[in-house]
Amino acid sequence: MEAQARGLLETEPLQGRDEDMVASADFPSMLSEEEREELKAELVQLEDEITTLRQVLSAKERHLVEIKQKLGMNLMNELKQNFSKSWHDMQTTTAYKKTHETLSHAGQKATAAFSNVGTAISKKFGDMSYSIRHSISMPAMRNSPTFKSFEERVETTVTSLKPQTKEDGFCCSLDQF
């Protein structure tokens, strides 16, 4: 009897051979008429209890919805709360903490690298700017044919504008500028 009771309480899933044995068993012929009547009565009682429980659960769910409506709670608020709780639960996991630390460290390294690259580029531009200014002020640049040609064109333009300004009656000349 103890082995039989233990077999009913086992939570292990049925194996293929166990299923075959249960399927081939002829339970109705093993039961007496009295046992069959008791099982039928128990079955009717269980079905009635299940129906009652479903009705009670449905009534409780309706009452829950009414209370939530009175409190101003809606589906969006519940979703926000569930999301916040899930996010908080996820953040407390060790996997998240390790990943966060690793990515944070990588971000710091990347920031430092970009800063170094930016500093190097700025320094190069500064050097180039100094180099260009220095080369413009050099006498060799001023004596180049290109610079001479440009200087002559500017002088010609200024000279051609001077007489026009005097004729128009302006009181000042370009020499003042």
Side-chain angles (χ1 to χ4, degrees), residues 10-25:
E10 287 182 3
T11 58
E12 296 293 320
L14 291 176
Q15 302 298 321
R17 64 180 185 283
D18 296 333
E19 290 174 358
D20 293 341
M21 186 175 66
V22 169
S24 65

Side-chain angles (χ1 to χ4, degrees), residues 47-63:
E47 288 174 343
D48 288 343
E49 288 176 4
I50 290 171
T51 302
T52 304
L53 289 172
R54 283 186 180 145
Q55 291 170 349
V56 169
L57 179 61
S58 178
K60 297 245 182 217
E61 286 175 338
R62 281 193 301 273
H63 187 63

Side-chain angles (χ1 to χ4, degrees), residues 15 48 88 90 96 126-127 132 135 137 139 145 147 150 162 168-169:
Q15 302 298 321
D48 288 343
H88 174 46
M90 189 201 52
Y96 176 85
D127 293 346
I132 289 170
S135 66
S137 65
F147 189 81
F150 176 73
K162 277 185 182 182
D168 291 339

Side-chain angles (χ1 to χ4, degrees), residues 142 146-156:
R142 296 189 117 202
T146 306
F147 189 81
K148 291 268 186 202
S149 173
F150 176 73
E151 189 175 36
E152 287 172 5
R153 286 185 188 157
V154 170
E155 285 176 1
T156 305

